[in-house]
Amino acid sequence: MNSPGDSIDDIISLLNKHYHPNSSQYQRQKPSIGSAMLPQIKQQLNVLSTIPNSQYNNQDKFKRKATSLNRQQQQKTQTKDTGSFATPMTRCLTFKPYSGSVDIIINDVGYYYKFGSSPIKLVKGLLEENGFKESNDKNWTLYWSSCAIKSEVYTNLFAYQKVCHFPKSYEMTRKDLMHRNISKMQINHGFINFNFIPKTYILPTEMSYFLEEHEKIKNNTPVYICKPHASSQGKGIFITDKIQDILNKQNSNNSYVVSHYIDKPLLINNLKFDLRIYVAISCINPLRIYVYQDGLARFATEAYNPDSIKQNRFVHLTNYSVNKDSPNFVANQDPTLDYVGSKWSLLALREYLKLNKINEQQIFDRIEDLIIKTIISVESTIFQTCEMNVPFRSNCFSLFGFDVLVDQLLKPWLLEVNFSPSLNIDAPLDLKIKGEMLADLFTLIGIVPLDQRFSQDLSYVRNQNNNDFKKHQQEFEKYIIKETEEELKRSRGWKRLYPSDQSYRYTKYFESDRPLNALLRNYYK
């Protein structure tokens, strides 16, 4: 491993060049590190030899044909000439999946993580097996939370620190806000271009409109699925064809999102199912979106019958948290048999569809399209909030769980987006898929080694950098392209959706055509 410098004085010199995020103007600090910092610097130098391996390569991942999609994209992109870029890129750590062990011996090598909510076994185990230790101090590298992150956490970040949510990403994950944002896109850009959510009403706000629309179609006995606006795991959901059931719920002062029920779903073995698609945003400026090539297919546990009693949740709901309590639930005990039981891997599902002559490529092309458009619907809100509250472009990343239902016409419907998708590992299949996904995510986002925390030129990564961009535009553009290419090389099981050679198709949907998005769009076209 390369030394961070020839002496303690070299390290101090690098630290004195660091932009401190607490300064509103991000001006350079005067040399003031001195002897107070020497013990910390010496500690970092002493642990460099035990830094987690940054060359880990998981050779057993994704043996199925679906992985060729990402390889093709990488081969195409890596033919670009980036070797001449003058700006050096930092090395990044790579992570191996969690083994499931509960007996982990942790050596303190200088890497720390912090939970902003209740600890999650998978996150904790994976980080600790990769050399990280939990800490409540401010010297953490990775901050993980299942809930929204307080603004003071964002404003005090150093460039090397990573937090697992972008501010205001709940605009896409709260059911009422998601529908409101996508409905706005339907109005501004044409219903046909954003016709991937069922017709939906936000109650009580749209109660008059809902009753008016119901009156037009009541002779067809419409069926509605009703969800509390901020619930998860199937809590509070009910299905009904009786308008009075919905009115009774409103009388209890509950806010609900009411959607037309999709009554002709695609079935497998006469069971309804939905897809859990893992999606990551690694950067908001420029926007970079990835989809994981494996995921979960979750099945209802009783045969589908559109005329059955709507209150039978095991027929109509596919949530794992609901169906695990069914007497018909079949747990998967062998991750190599990922097509057995009430939960399959996404790759197994795709193979099943191919074998049954169903155009799975068309389905997943459409899913990727709706993912990009859904994120664009909130891009402006997240971008502006980051500009105001987050010091560096590299501080935030987000993992989302997109829940998608496919109908008999092979049209995917977005049901909801999960702010913090479940990382429970109740079965070996969960550990395999989620463990590999999370290890690949931590590798993707670019966590830098200890010796490079303060050595990069932060003018390339800080927010509110209009002056830097205008003054050094050519160098800045080279940096952004190289940064994006290097990230793709770390993508492993993640397939990049945006930017791509198809980026131009989505330009018209952005509220603002940001310079860095335009740069990458032109680079990849």
Side-chain angles (χ1 to χ4, degrees):
M1 179 166 291
N2 295 332
S3 170
D6 296 327
S7 66
I8 293 293
D9 291 335
D10 292 332
I11 301 296
I12 293 176
S13 177
L14 291 175
L15 290 171
N16 279 325
K17 295 178 182 178
H18 183 56
Y19 294 86
H20 197 279
N22 288 333
S23 170
S24 61
Q25 301 298 322
Y26 299 108
Q27 295 181 357
R28 293 182 185 274
Q29 302 293 301
K30 294 181 180 180
S32 58
I33 291 176
S35 60
M37 289 290 292
L38 288 178
Q40 180 179 346
I41 296 170
K42 289 178 179 178
Q43 179 189 14
Q44 290 195 7
L45 289 174
N46 290 335
V47 302
L48 288 179
S49 61
T50 56
I51 286 176
N53 179 16
S54 63
Q55 299 298 322
Y56 173 78
N57 181 25
N58 187 357
Q59 298 177 351
D60 297 325
K61 293 180 60 56
F62 304 125
K63 296 180 180 179
R64 306 178 193 275
K65 292 182 180 178
T67 56
S68 63
L69 297 170
N70 202 35
R71 294 195 194 100
Q72 291 169 7
Q73 185 189 29
Q74 290 188 14
Q75 290 169 358
K76 178 176 181 180
T77 308
Q78 291 170 13
T79 59
K80 299 280 188 178
D81 179 15
T82 58
S84 61
F85 293 172
T87 305
M89 302 300 290
T90 57
R91 299 187 322 279
C92 297
L93 304 183
T94 58
F95 291 76
K96 61 182 179 180
Y98 176 44
S99 68
S101 173
V102 294
D103 299 318
I104 304 173
I105 299 176
I106 309 171
N107 295 317
D108 191 341
V109 295
Y111 291 99
Y112 304 102
Y113 68 92
K114 183 177 181 179
F115 282 114
S117 58
S118 299
I120 298 174
K121 180 180 178 181
L122 176 60
V123 177
K124 180 181 178 68
L126 191 151
L127 289 173
E128 292 182 354
E129 283 192 345
N130 283 274
F132 282 67
K133 186 176 181 180
E134 187 171 4
S135 172
N136 289 320
D137 295 330
K138 295 182 179 180
N139 60 342
W140 47 266
T141 298
L142 182 69
Y143 184 96
W144 189 275
S145 177
S146 298
C147 53
I149 296 173
K150 296 179 179 179
S151 59
E152 55 264 30
V153 175
Y154 290 115
T155 55
N156 291 300
L157 290 171
F158 288 95
Y160 70 87
Q161 293 180 309
K162 303 282 186 180
V163 297
C164 69
H165 296 299
F166 287 92
K168 284 204 172 180
S169 52
Y170 60 79
E171 287 278 341
M172 185 171 66
T173 60
R174 227 180 71 173
K175 296 176 180 66
D176 55 343
L177 298 180
M178 182 196 82
H179 284 278
R180 187 169 290 142
N181 284 310
I182 294 178
S183 296
K184 188 187 302 182
M185 299 298 279
Q186 290 175 339
I187 294 170
N188 293 337
H189 301 288
F191 178 80
I192 193 172
N193 294 314
F194 285 80
N195 182 24
F196 51 77
I197 57 172
K199 191 168 185 177
T200 298
Y201 313 90
I202 302 169
L203 305 186
T205 306
E206 298 178 342
M207 176 62 79
S208 297
Y209 176 53
F210 168 61
L211 294 175
E212 180 183 329
E213 291 296 300
H214 174 77
E215 191 66 23
K216 296 176 184 178
I217 59 174
K218 65 179 182 180
N219 292 335
N220 298 328
T221 317
V223 178
Y224 302 102
I225 181 166
C226 309
K227 306 176 183 179
H229 77 278
S231 69
S232 61
Q233 298 181 331
K235 297 173 184 175
I237 297 177
F238 67 96
I239 300 168
T240 184
D241 56 3
K242 296 180 176 61
I243 195 72
Q244 192 59 46
D245 291 343
I246 300 173
L247 296 178
N248 290 341
K249 288 290 183 180
Q250 288 307 297
N251 291 336
S252 63
N253 295 320
N254 292 321
S255 297
Y256 272 83
V257 175
V258 177
S259 301
H260 285 266
Y261 183 71
I262 300 169
D263 60 357
K264 294 183 179 179
L266 183 65
L267 304 177
I268 292 180
N269 299 327
N270 206 31
L271 296 173
K272 185 178 176 182
F273 68 94
D274 77 350
L275 308 177
R276 166 59 57 85
I277 311 289
Y278 295 109
V279 174
I281 302 178
S282 62
C283 186
I284 198 68
N285 184 34
L287 180 61
R288 294 196 291 261
I289 305 170
Y290 292 81
V291 63
Y292 204 61
Q293 293 193 92
D294 208 355
L296 295 169
R298 305 171 302 182
F299 289 83
T301 47
E302 292 192 18
Y304 183 75
N305 179 358
D307 299 322
S308 67
I309 299 173
K310 302 304 177 185
Q311 282 73 17
N312 190 337
R313 292 159 64 86
F314 300 142
V315 172
H316 298 284
L317 299 184
T318 54
N319 309 65
Y320 165 74
S321 55
V322 171
N323 283 282
K324 68 180 181 180
D325 297 325
S326 167
N328 298 324
F329 182 82
V330 178
N332 182 294
Q333 302 295 342
D334 186 346
T336 64
L337 300 177
D338 52 357
Y339 51 86
V340 173
S342 298
K343 189 187 293 186
W344 293 7
S345 77
L346 194 64
L347 293 178
L349 177 92
R350 295 188 71 160
E351 288 189 354
Y352 175 90
L353 296 176
K354 287 180 185 178
L355 290 172
N356 286 273
K357 310 299 182 184
I358 297 173
N359 191 344
E360 55 87 28
Q361 189 60 55
Q362 180 188 86
I363 294 173
F364 283 87
D365 286 346
R366 290 174 174 176
I367 290 174
E368 292 174 2
D369 179 68
L370 73 81
I371 289 170
I372 296 171
K373 288 177 177 176
T374 301
I375 291 173
I376 290 175
S377 75
V378 298
E379 181 270 346
S380 180
T381 299
I382 296 175
F383 176 89
Q384 292 170 13
T385 310
C386 285
E387 284 280 285
M388 292 187 293
N389 296 286
V390 182
F392 303 102
R393 291 188 305 104
S394 56
N395 284 142
C396 299
F397 68 98
S398 279
L399 171 68
F400 300 103
F402 276 61
D403 290 345
V404 176
L405 179 74
V406 181
D407 67 19
Q408 293 176 5
L409 299 177
L410 307 188
K411 177 178 179 176
W413 296 89
L414 178 62
L415 303 180
E416 61 183 81
V417 180
N418 292 270
F419 183 78
S420 292
S422 171
L423 295 177
N424 292 338
I425 45 178
D426 299 333
L429 184 63
D430 290 313
L431 177 60
K432 177 181 183 296
I433 293 174
K434 297 176 185 179
E436 291 177 350
M437 178 273 295
L438 197 62
D440 290 355
L441 177 64
F442 290 159
T443 300
L444 173 75
I445 62 176
I447 297 175
V448 297
L450 293 176
D451 62 326
Q452 296 193 18
R453 282 184 174 179
F454 301 103
S455 62
Q456 65 184 126
D457 185 346
L458 300 183
S459 61
Y460 289 108
V461 296
R462 70 186 185 188
N463 275 324
Q464 300 176 326
N465 58 4
N466 292 332
N467 292 331
D468 290 319
F469 181 77
K470 293 175 182 177
K471 186 176 180 180
H472 305 290
Q473 182 172 347
Q474 187 175 6
E475 290 79 6
F476 193 89
E477 289 178 347
K478 289 180 178 179
Y479 182 95
I480 294 298
I481 293 171
K482 187 70 178 292
E483 173 189 82
T484 303
E485 293 279 85
E486 291 296 319
E487 183 180 82
L488 182 64
K489 293 176 182 177
R490 300 191 302 269
S491 60
R492 302 209 296 204
W494 289 96
K495 176 188 175 184
R496 195 177 69 199
L497 300 185
Y498 191 95
S500 72
D501 58 357
Q502 298 296 309
S503 295
Y504 67 90
R505 295 173 47 204
Y506 300 96
T507 304
K508 60 186 177 183
Y509 302 130
F510 285 88
E511 189 171 305
S512 176
D513 189 15
R514 310 197 191 283
L516 299 188
N517 289 342
L519 168 70
L520 294 179
R521 180 176 69 245
N522 293 329
Y523 179 72
Y524 288 115
K525 70 179 181 181

